[in-house]
Amino acid sequence: MEDLTRERAQTTFDVNAMKIIWAGGQEAFEFHNKLASLVAHDPVFRKDNRPRMTHKELFLGGIRKAAHCNELAIELGLTEADANTLRILRDEKAYDTLHWNMFVPVLRTQATPEQQKKWLPLATSMAIIGCYAQTELGHGSNVQGLETTATFDPYADEFILNSPTLSSTKWWPGGLGKVATHAIVHAHLILDKDYGVHAFIVQIRSLEDHKPLTTITVGDIGQKFGNGGNNTVDNGFLRFNHTRIPRTNLLMRMAVVTREGKYVYQDVPKQILYGGMIAARQTILLEASVELSRAVTIAVRYSAVRRQFGFDNNNREMQVLDYMTQQHKLFPLLATAYAFRFVGQWMETLYSEVMSQFENNNFSALAEIHACTSGLKAITTSVTADAIEKCRKACGGHGYLCSSGLPELFAAYIPACTYEGDNTILFKQVGKFLVKTMLNMNRRLRPQGTTEYLADIHLHTTKDCEVSKDDDWLNLDFVLDAFKARAIRLLVTLSRHIQKFPNQDDGFEELSIDLVNVAEAHCQLVVLSKFVDKLQTTIPGLNVKQQLHLLCNIYGLSLICEHAGDFLATGYLTRRQANLARSQLRRIFSHVRPNAIALVDSFNHTDHYLGSVLGRYDGDVYTHLYMEAMKDPFNNADVIDGYKTT
Amino acid sequence: MEDLTRERAQTTFDVNAMKIIWAGGQEAFEFHNKLASLVAHDPVFRKDNRPRMTHKELFLGGIRKAAHCNELAIELGLTEADANTLRILRDEKAYDTLHWNMFVPVLRTQATPEQQKKWLPLATSMAIIGCYAQTELGHGSNVQGLETTATFDPYADEFILNSPTLSSTKWWPGGLGKVATHAIVHAHLILDKDYGVHAFIVQIRSLEDHKPLTTITVGDIGQKFGNGGNNTVDNGFLRFNHTRIPRTNLLMRMAVVTREGKYVYQDVPKQILYGGMIAARQTILLEASVELSRAVTIAVRYSAVRRQFGFDNNNREMQVLDYMTQQHKLFPLLATAYAFRFVGQWMETLYSEVMSQFENNNFSALAEIHACTSGLKAITTSVTADAIEKCRKACGGHGYLCSSGLPELFAAYIPACTYEGDNTILFKQVGKFLVKTMLNMNRRLRPQGTTEYLADIHLHTTKDCEVSKDDDWLNLDFVLDAFKARAIRLLVTLSRHIQKFPNQDDGFEELSIDLVNVAEAHCQLVVLSKFVDKLQTTIPGLNVKQQLHLLCNIYGLSLICEHAGDFLATGYLTRRQANLARSQLRRIFSHVRPNAIALVDSFNHTDHYLGSVLGRYDGDVYTHLYMEAMKDPFNNADVIDGYKTT
C-alpha cells in the first residue's frame, strides 16, 4: 500500500489544477465531485455484486436504480443535463438511458409543436416510457433497407404498421424488451407510393396492466456479452401484426400527411436536426475519454503495486510500471485519454459556433462537420475498445477476474464501435468526403474547418520533414506537420487512383481499404491538432502545461511509430527521422513515469465508479482480491451442494 | 438460406481433401468426425444454455460433463490422447482438463518410478483428483519469487508447508476451488538453506467427506470474464497453515532429500522434461488454429448471409462478404488459421526429431527450440485473441449477442495470452535469444533450426527486394525473402545498439520494445516458412494446393502491408514495391472470394462445436436468433415478476 503513497509523494505538478482541466472547469469539477460522492455512498447504487447476478436480477437492479435516479433528480432539482450526469455516474445503463437520450430528443426534434404538447409532458414525467425502434433483425446501417411498413388507411384515418417478414422484426432497441410503453418506430410510409422511412410514435404496452397490446409481439432478445455489461438493459424485439395508430402519430415536423392522405414536405430549420447529431457525437467522444481513462487508471495503478522479477534499490522485485514494455503499452493510452478529452471539449465549442451559423441560414459547413464528427466517433470508440482490452492484458492474470472491473468495462463499452454508425462504414464515408473535398479544390472550392489544412497541399506535398535530432520531436509543430503531410499525401495518391476509374463509385469500393486508412490519418490529425490548440490556451497550475505537453508528444510520436509505414511510404519521413521519433518517445516515457499515478489520479474517478479491486486508490489490491473472492456464494460451503449427486 | 447453398455450388476445389489436410490425415479426419458427431448428438453435452446459467450451475454442469467424458472414454476404450480430443470437442473446460493436462504429466515427468507406482494408478483411475498449484496472489511469471515454503522437519521426517503472507496464497489453479483432493504445490524447499522452488504432492481434501484438511484454507477465486467462458472451472485459492506432509511427497526425480535432510541432485534424462514442454506448446498452437478457425467460420458464413446496402444482380442488397473492407478484415484471418494449423502440425514432427536428438545426448538444439516454441506460443495466442474480437465486430450488432457464440469464444480464449508464459515476456526472451544468436555468430557459432537463415546475413542485408510488378508477389520466394531480410535487418540494428551499452542487461531492458518487435518479425517468418514448406509437399485433391498457395500469399502480403513500416525502414522494400503488395493482395482476395465458404467448411466444425447461431452450416440465421431469444426465461412472462414491486 505504501507504493502508491510514495508514487504520489514524487508528483511534480498540481493535480488539483489538472482535475479541473479534465472536468472542463471549476464548476463542472465541483458538481462532478458532489454527484460522484453521492452515488458512491448510496447503497442503492452498489454494483460490485453485478457479476454474480442472473439476467433477470440485473434487469431488476437496473430498474430499481433508474427509479432511484429519477427520485434523486426531482429531490435535488437537477436539470435534465445534470440528471444525465447522475445516470452516467451510477455506471449502469437501463431503460431510462434510452428514454432520455433517444426517445425524448427525437420527440423534441421531429414532433410538431402540437405533438410535443401532447407527448412531451407524458415523457418527461415518465408517465409513458419510450424507446427508439429503428434497426431490424435483418437490417442495420442501411436505414432505407428497413422492411417495416406503415400504410395509410384513409377510411379510418389511421396508419397500419406491419412486420411483413421475420427479418423485419425490430431488434435491439434498449428498453423495448420489458419496460417501454411507447416506441418511436421507423417504417416505410406508404400512401399512394412508398415515401421512404419515417418515424411514428406507437403505443406497445397497456398503461393499465403493462401487457403488450393485442397486435404486438414483444420480448427481450436474450443475453449479451459480459456478466453484467449491458444485461441491465432490456434490449428487445417487436413485431407488428397490422397494428393501427392514429394518423397524427406520424412525427410530422419534417413532413405532414393530411387527412386526405397527401404528403406535404415541411421546410424545417435544419439547425435543430443537425444540432442533435453533433450533441450525440460529443457525448460519445466524452464517454470514450472517460472509459479509456478508467481502464488506464486501473492498469497504471496496479502496475505500480504489482512487482515482478529484477530488484529495486530496496531489494524487492521491480514495480511492473518500471518496465519499458509496460510503459510502452500504457503511456500512449494515458496520453490518448487526455487527447480524446480535449477533442470532446472542443466539440462543445464547435456546437455553439455551428448553431449560430445555422441560425443565419449558413449551412456551408454542414458536410465537413458531419464528416468530422463521424470520423471522431469512429476513431475514439475503436481506440477505446481496443485499449480497454490492452489494459486488461497488461494486468496479467488478475485482469481476467470480474473483480478487476476490466471484463465488464470491455463488455459494456464495445457496442459503441457498432451503434450510431458502424465504425468501418463511418471511416469509409469520411474517406469519400476527403477525396471529394480534394477533387473539389481543383474547382476552387476552399476546404473548411478541420479540412482547412488541405488548402496547403503544395507545401505539404513538397516540403519534407526537417527533424534532424531527437529533441526536434519535442517541437509539436514538427509533429503536427508530419500528420498533415501524411494525410495529404495519402489523400493525393488515393484521389489520383480513384480518378482513374470510369465510375467513381467503383473506385470507392475497390479502394475502400485506402479510404479507411486516409480517414484514420485525418482523424488522428484532428485529435492531435485539438490537443495542440489546447496547449496554446492559458493553463493554470504548477507544471500542468508541461505535463500535458509531454502527453501530447507521446500521443503524436507513438502514432508516428505505430504507423511508420504511412510516414515512410509517403516519403515525408526518412528512416533516420522515424528512428529518432522512436528514441525520443522512450525518453519522454521516463519523464512521465514519476507522475504516472498523479496523471491517472487527475481523472478523478471514485473507487465506486472505477469498480475495480486492481485500481483501488489506496493500492490495497491483494486484501480486496481475497475479500471479493469470499463474496462468491460459491464459497459459502466447503462442499458445494449437488457436488456428490452430480 | 439459399445463399450458402449457392456459395457452396461455386466451389472450385476438393473440400473433402482440404478437410483431411486440416485434420492432419485420413485417420485423424475420420476419428475426429466420429467423436465430433458423438458429442454433438449427446444431450449431456448441450451447451447453448450456458450464458443463462449461474456460476454454480456452470460448475455443476462442468463436473457432470467431466464424469460423462470419463465414462465414455472407458466405454469406447479411448487412449489418453483420444480422451483428450473428446474433452476438447465437448468445448468446456473443467477440473478434469487440468487433472489430465497438468497433474498427471507432472507426476510422469517429476516423480520417481517409486512415486509414480504409488500415485499414477490413483490419478489415472481418478481415485484422486489433482491440480497444479504454482502461481500465487502476488506472484506470477517469476517462479523464483514465490513465497510458499516447505521446511523439512528432520524429527518427524516431514515437510511443513506454509503460506507466510497473504500474497503467498496460491491463486488461479483450475480444479482447486471445489474439486481437487490433491495438489502439486510449488514451494521453496528449506533444509539447511533455501534450495529454491520444488514441487510437492499435497493432499488438500479428505477422501471421505471431501472437506478441506484442517490446516488448509481453500476456495474459489470468484467469477471470471464471460457468461460461460471459463466459469465452468473452479479456479481456486489455497493457504497452508503449517501443513505437514511426508518427506516422500517431494517429487524427487530431479533431486532427492534424504532421511537425514541432505539434498542430492539427480542426473535426469532431460528429454523427458523438455519433451513435455514442446508437447504443451504444440497443443497451444493447434488450439489457436482451431479457435481462430471457429471465429472465422462464424464471421465468414454470416457475412455471406447478411446483406447491406448496394444491389446485387437480383436487385437485393449486397452480401456483406462482397465488400472489400469485409474481405480485408476476414481473409487474412482465414489465411492465418491455415498458417497456424500447419505450423502446429510441423511442431509434431519437430517433437520426434528432437526426442531422438535428446536420446543421443545431443542438447545443442535446446535453446533454439525453447525460443522457437515460446515465440510461436506468443504469436499464435496474441493473434487469435485479437482475431476473435475482430470477427465479432465484423458481425455487426448481432455478434454482441451470446447466441452468436463469439462473446464466449473470446472470453474463454483470451487467458491463453497470459498463462504458460505471458506473451510480452516470451517475446522479450525470444528477442534476447535472437540478439545473442546474432552476436555468437561473430564467434563462429552456427545458428540452428528456425534461426538458420541468420547465417545468410550478408545476402539478406545487401540484396534488396527484386519485385518489379504486381504478379511477382505471387512468387512465394519473394515473400519469404522479404520476411527474412526484415527480421535480419531489424536484428542487426538492434544488436548493434545493444552492444553500445556497457551492461548488456541494461540494453535489453532499455530496448525491450525493439526486442519484442524483432521477435514478432522472426515468428511471423517461422509461421510463413512452415506454410511454404507445406506447399512443397504432395497435396492431393483438385485445386487444393492452388487454394493453399493463395492463402499463403494472403498471409504473407497482409503482414507486409500491416508492418510496412519495418519493411520500408529497413530499406528492403521500396515504396513502389510496398504498393504493389497492396494491390496484389486485393487481387488475391477476389480469387479467394468464390471459395470462401468452402474454405471455412474445410475446418469441419459441427454446429454443436461452433455454438453459434450466426455461423450455422445451413445459414438459417434469423430464425434461430429469434428462437434463441425466446429461450431466455426472461421471456416466460409478458410482465416480469417483480416489475411492479421494484
Side-chain angles (χ1 to χ4, degrees), chain A residues 327-338:
Chain A
Q327 295 178 10
H328 179 67
K329 282 178 194 173
L330 298 179
F331 289 173
L333 302 180
L334 173 66
T336 305
Y338 279 94

Side-chain angles (χ1 to χ4, degrees), chain A residues 51-52 54-56 59-60 63-64 137-142 145 166 169 171-172 178-179 208-212 217 219-227 230-231 234 237 239 307-309 317 322-325 328-329 386 389 392-393 396-398 400-402 407 410-412 414-415 417-418 424-425 428 509-514 516 564-565 568-571 575 582 586 622-623 625-626 629-630 632 634-635 637-644 646, chain B residues 51-52 54-56 59-60 63-64 137-142 145 166 169 171-172 178-179 208-212 217 219-227 230-231 234 237 239 307-309 317 322-325 328-329 386 389 392-393 396-398 400-402 407 410-412 414-415 417-418 424-425 428 509-514 516 564-565 568-571 575 582 586 589 622-623 625-626 629-630 632 634-635 637-644 646:
Chain A
R52 294 182 289 276
T54 63
H55 189 184
K56 189 175 145 185
F59 166 73
L60 291 174
I63 62 176
R64 200 171 304 125
L137 191 47
H139 309 278
S141 302
N142 181 15
L166 177 67
T169 308
W171 196 267
W172 277 113
K178 294 289 157 184
V179 179
E208 306 292 313
D209 60 9
H210 202 65
K211 289 206 173 131
T217 308
D220 188 278
I221 61 170
Q223 226 159 324
K224 291 147 290 188
F225 204 153
N227 301 84
N230 284 305
N231 287 307
D234 55 327
F237 64 82
R239 299 208 60 180
R307 291 172 174 273
Q308 199 161 261
F309 292 111
E317 288 181 292
D322 284 328
Y323 287 102
M324 184 58 75
T325 42
H328 179 67
K329 282 178 194 173
D386 290 348
E389 174 62 5
R392 194 196 62 72
K393 284 208 193 93
H398 299 339
Y400 192 61
L401 284 170
C402 290
F410 183 78
I414 48 175
C417 297
T418 311
T424 303
I425 295 177
K428 275 164 80 170
E509 177 49 29
E510 180 69 17
L511 300 173
S512 53
I513 302 163
D514 299 316
V516 170
L568 293 165
T570 55
R575 289 147 58 183
R582 209 173 294 274
R586 272 204 308 274
Y622 297 124
T623 317
L625 272 173
Y626 200 90
M630 296 309 293
D632 199 308
F634 209 34
N635 281 324
D638 281 332
V639 183
I640 198 160
D641 288 351
Y643 179 74
K644 286 286 170 192
T646 305
Chain B
R52 294 180 289 276
T54 64
H55 189 184
K56 190 174 143 186
F59 166 73
L60 291 174
I63 62 176
R64 200 170 304 125
L137 191 47
H139 308 278
S141 302
N142 182 14
L166 176 67
T169 308
W171 196 267
W172 277 112
K178 295 289 156 184
V179 179
E208 306 292 313
D209 61 8
H210 202 65
K211 287 203 174 136
T217 308
D220 187 278
I221 61 169
Q223 225 158 327
K224 291 148 290 189
F225 204 152
N227 302 83
N230 285 304
N231 287 306
D234 54 327
F237 62 83
R239 300 208 60 180
R307 292 172 173 273
Q308 200 163 257
F309 291 112
E317 286 181 293
D322 284 328
Y323 287 102
M324 184 58 76
T325 43
H328 179 66
K329 283 178 194 174
D386 290 348
E389 174 61 5
R392 194 197 62 74
K393 283 208 194 93
H398 299 340
Y400 191 62
L401 284 170
C402 290
F410 182 77
I414 48 176
C417 298
T418 310
T424 303
I425 295 177
K428 275 163 78 169
E509 176 50 30
E510 179 69 17
L511 299 174
S512 53
I513 302 164
D514 299 317
V516 170
L568 293 165
T570 55
R575 289 147 59 184
R582 208 174 295 272
R586 270 205 308 274
F589 286 166
Y622 297 124
T623 317
L625 271 172
Y626 199 90
M630 294 311 292
D632 199 308
F634 209 36
N635 282 325
D638 281 332
V639 182
I640 198 160
D641 289 352
Y643 180 76
K644 287 286 170 192
T646 306

Side-chain angles (χ1 to χ4, degrees), chain A residues 133-140 142-151 160-170 185-190 194 196-198 200 238-240, chain B residues 307 316-317 622:
Chain A
Q134 180 178 307
T135 53
E136 298 175 354
L137 191 47
H139 309 278
N142 181 15
V143 176
Q144 291 312 312
L146 296 175
E147 295 179 77
T148 306
T149 53
T151 309
I160 307 166
L161 280 125
N162 203 33
S163 311
T165 60
L166 177 67
S167 57
S168 73
T169 308
K170 293 292 174 188
V185 174
H186 288 253
H188 280 272
L189 169 64
I190 315 282
D194 184 341
V197 173
H198 286 69
F200 301 81
L238 173 63
R239 299 208 60 180
F240 301 105
Chain B
R307 292 172 173 273
R316 298 183 61 189
E317 286 181 293
Y622 297 124

Side-chain angles (χ1 to χ4, degrees), chain B residues 230-245:
Chain B
N230 285 304
N231 287 306
T232 49
V233 181
D234 54 327
N235 295 86
F237 62 83
L238 173 62
R239 300 208 60 180
F240 301 106
N241 182 9
H242 301 91
T243 304
R244 288 177 168 271
I245 56 170

Side-chain angles (χ1 to χ4, degrees), chain B residues 182-201:
Chain B
H182 290 69
I184 302 282
V185 174
H186 288 253
H188 279 272
L189 169 64
I190 315 282
L191 301 170
D192 53 321
K193 59 168 193 168
D194 185 340
Y195 283 82
V197 173
H198 286 67
F200 302 81
I201 183 160

Side-chain angles (χ1 to χ4, degrees), chain A residues 262-398:
Chain A
K262 266 194 65 182
Y263 186 87
V264 186
Y265 180 77
Q266 306 289 296
D267 193 15
V268 194
K270 289 196 183 57
Q271 61 267 38
I272 300 164
L273 290 176
Y274 297 112
M277 182 202 72
I278 301 174
R281 295 274 162 84
Q282 181 205 327
T283 306
I284 291 179
L285 258 66
L286 289 174
E287 189 191 31
S289 71
V290 171
E291 302 299 286
L292 177 51
S293 71
R294 275 217 272 190
V296 169
T297 302
I298 295 168
V300 168
R301 285 190 184 152
Y302 179 50
S303 296
V305 170
R306 184 180 173 207
R307 291 172 174 273
Q308 199 161 261
F309 292 111
F311 287 105
D312 68 5
N313 299 335
N314 299 314
N315 215 19
R316 299 183 61 190
E317 288 181 292
M318 264 170 67
Q319 289 171 287
V320 175
L321 194 56
D322 284 328
Y323 287 102
M324 184 58 75
T325 42
Q326 195 76 352
Q327 295 178 10
H328 179 67
K329 282 178 194 173
L330 298 179
F331 289 173
L333 302 180
L334 173 66
T336 305
Y338 279 94
F340 287 176
R341 191 72 184 172
F342 297 138
V343 78
Q345 290 176 352
W346 164 75
M347 219 193 264
E348 286 187 294
T349 59
L350 179 75
Y351 180 77
S352 31
E353 276 173 40
V354 167
M355 284 301 105
S356 71
Q357 281 179 28
F358 286 177
E359 275 161 30
N360 297 320
N361 271 315
N362 173 4
F363 297 107
S364 61
L366 191 59
E368 187 275 321
I369 286 163
H370 186 258
C372 163
T373 57
S374 298
L376 289 173
K377 182 272 175 185
I379 199 140
T380 54
T381 56
S382 291
V383 168
T384 298
D386 290 348
I388 295 170
E389 174 62 5
K390 284 180 196 162
C391 287
R392 194 196 62 72
K393 284 208 193 93
C395 291
H398 299 339

